[in-house]
C-alpha cells in the first residue's frame, strides 16, 4: 500500500472540453487491486453497544464518525501515517489528540470525529480495500472536501471516478469565474450616482435628525425634542392631581 499525503492538485491547466488535459492525472498512479479476504480484518463496523467490550484497544483504534463506530487495527493505520487517522498513533497526550480529532472519551478510549458518516464510507473502503470510489449519491465537491480533511490523496481514486471528480471541480470553478467576470462588468457599466440638490437636502436633514453633533441645526432640533418631551411629561403629571380632576368633573 503506498504512502499517501494531503497534497492538493493544480486544476488551472485542466479543460472540460479537452479530455486529453486529464490524461496525465489518470496515469500518475496505477489502479490498485483489492486484497480479497482481509476487508473485515482491516476495518469493522460496530453495530451493537455490547460489542465495544470485546475491543482490544492495544491492537485496535475505536473511531466514532458522526455516531457510527468503527474499529481499525493500529497496524492498518500505521500504513497511512500522513492521513488524519494515521496521525492518531503517535499521539501520547490529550492535547495532541485534540489537534487531530474533535473529542476523545478517555473511559472508552474512543476517538470522535464530527463528520458525515456517509462520506466516511469512501475513507472506510479505502483503508479496508485500498480503493477510492466516488459514491453515486454523494456530491463530488463534498467528497473532495472530505478527502482533504482526512488527508487522503485523490490520485488514488479509480480512473473513472477521478475523471468525474476533476471534471466537476473544473466546471464549478469555471462557473465561479464567469460569475465574477459578470459582476465586475456590471460594476463598470453602472452609472455613477448624481449628487442632486434633493439628495443634498435629504442628507443634511438626516444628519440633523440623527446626529445632534452635525451642526447648529442638529443641536437646535435635539433641544426642541427634549423640551417637547419635558412639556408632555409635566402636563401628564399635572393632569393626575386630585384638585384638577375634581374641577374637571364639576
Amino acid at each position: 500500500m503506498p504512502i499517501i499525503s494531503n497534497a492538493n492538485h493544480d486544476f488551472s491547466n485542466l479543460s472540460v472540453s479537452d479530455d486529453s488535459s486529464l490524461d496525465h492525472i489518470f496515469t500518475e498512479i496505477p489502479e490498485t487491486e483489492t486484497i480479497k479476504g482481509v476487508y473485515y480484518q482491516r476495518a469493522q463496523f460496530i453495530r451493537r453497544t455490547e460489542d465495544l467490550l470485546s475491543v482490544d484497544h492495544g491492537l485496535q483504534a475505536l473511531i466514532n464518525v458522526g455516531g457510527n463506530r468503527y474499529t481499525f487495527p493500529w497496524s492498518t493505520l500505521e500504513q497511512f501515517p500522513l492521513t488524519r487517522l494515521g496521525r492518531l498513533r503517535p499521539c501520547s497526550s490529550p492535547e495532541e489528540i485534540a489537534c487531530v480529532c474533535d473529542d476523545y472519551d478517555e473511559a472508552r478510549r474512543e476517538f470522535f470525529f464530527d463528520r458525515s458518516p456517509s462520506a466516511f464510507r469512501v475513507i472506510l473502503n479505502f483503508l479496508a480495500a485500498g480503493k477510492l470510489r466516488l459514491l453515486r449519491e454523494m456530491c463530488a465537491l463534498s467528497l473532495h472536501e472530505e478527502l482533504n480533511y482526512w488527508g487522503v490523496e485523490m490520485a488514488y481514486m479509480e480512473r473513472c471516478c477521478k475523471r468525474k471528480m476533476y471534471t466537476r471541480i473544473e466546471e464549478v470553478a469555471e462557473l465561479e469565474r464567469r460569475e465574477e467576470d459578470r459582476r465586475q462588468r456590471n460594476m463598470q457599466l453602472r452609472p455613477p450616482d448624481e449628487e442632486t440638490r434633493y439628495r443634498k437636502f435629504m442628507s443634511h436633514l438626516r444628519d440633523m435628525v440623527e446626529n445632534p453633533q452635525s451642526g447648529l441645526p442638529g443641536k437646535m432640533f435635539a433641544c426642541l425634542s427634549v423640551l417637547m418631551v419635558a412639556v408632555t411629561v409635566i402636563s401628564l403629571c399635572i393632569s393626575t392631581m386630585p384638585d384638577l380632576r375634581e374641577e374637571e368633573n364639576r
Side-chain angles (χ1 to χ4, degrees):
M1 186 66 63
I3 301 300
I4 59 181
S5 65
N6 59 351
N8 295 324
H9 281 285
D10 182 12
F11 306 111
S12 59
N13 296 325
L14 304 183
S15 175
V16 177
S17 59
D18 185 11
D19 292 342
S20 61
S21 61
L22 303 172
D23 293 340
H24 72 281
I25 297 178
F26 304 140
T27 56
E28 285 181 357
I29 300 174
E31 292 190 19
T32 57
E33 296 183 1
T34 303
I35 305 177
K36 298 181 179 181
V38 299
Y39 185 96
Y40 293 101
Q41 297 178 7
R42 299 172 64 91
Q44 290 187 1
F45 175 61
I46 304 297
R47 293 180 172 82
R48 300 177 302 175
T49 306
E50 52 267 24
D51 294 340
L52 297 175
L53 301 176
S54 60
V55 177
D56 186 358
H57 296 281
L59 300 177
Q60 295 175 315
L62 179 60
I63 308 298
N64 187 329
V65 181
N68 292 344
R69 293 185 175 93
Y70 307 89
T71 57
F72 294 92
W74 287 112
S75 58
T76 299
L77 300 183
E78 288 174 353
Q79 299 180 23
F80 309 95
L82 300 181
T83 63
R84 186 172 291 270
L85 292 178
R87 286 156 49 193
L88 290 173
R89 184 56 170 171
C91 294
S92 58
S93 64
E95 291 76 13
E96 294 179 352
I97 295 177
C99 295
V100 180
C101 62
D102 297 311
D103 198 3
Y104 177 66
D105 189 344
E106 295 184 1
R108 293 183 175 181
R109 301 177 67 179
E110 179 179 355
F111 303 94
F112 177 76
F113 294 88
D114 189 13
R115 305 297 294 187
S116 171
S118 58
F120 186 72
R121 290 166 48 194
V122 179
I123 310 301
L124 176 66
N125 291 333
F126 176 71
L127 296 177
K131 283 184 176 293
L132 267 178
R133 291 189 176 93
L134 178 63
L135 300 180
R136 180 178 300 177
E137 66 275 9
M138 188 174 182
C139 173
L141 299 180
S142 299
L143 179 58
H144 180 235
E145 294 179 359
E146 291 295 323
L147 294 179
N148 288 337
Y149 175 82
W150 294 106
V152 178
E153 176 59 56
M154 284 197 307
Y156 295 92
M157 182 176 289
E158 297 297 323
R159 293 176 182 174
C160 58
C161 299
K162 191 188 306 181
R163 181 181 294 273
K164 294 179 181 178
M165 174 169 287
Y166 280 123
T167 302
R168 180 56 181 163
I169 292 175
E170 187 190 1
E171 288 176 352
V172 173
E174 180 64 24
L175 290 176
E176 292 179 351
R177 287 194 294 267
R178 292 179 181 178
E179 183 66 21
E180 183 62 24
D181 293 341
R182 185 183 65 83
R183 190 181 300 110
Q184 294 293 336
R185 287 196 300 268
N186 291 339
M187 293 180 60
Q188 294 176 359
L189 296 176
R190 183 180 304 171
D193 296 335
E194 297 182 0
E195 193 69 18
T196 62
R197 294 183 179 180
Y198 174 76
R199 291 180 179 274
K200 292 181 179 180
F201 173 75
M202 293 301 297
S203 178
H204 292 317
L205 182 61
R206 183 175 58 253
D207 292 339
M208 181 187 69
V209 174
E210 297 179 354
N211 185 13
Q213 305 297 331
S214 59
L216 182 59
K219 295 179 181 179
M220 294 177 60
F221 181 81
C223 294
L224 182 61
S225 300
V226 173
L227 181 61
M228 294 298 295
V229 172
V231 171
T232 304
V233 172
I234 293 173
S235 62
L236 290 175
C237 293
I238 294 176
S239 64
T240 59
M241 297 177 64
D243 296 339
L244 293 178
R245 292 179 63 88
E246 293 178 0
E247 181 68 23
E248 183 180 353
N249 293 333
R250 287 197 300 267

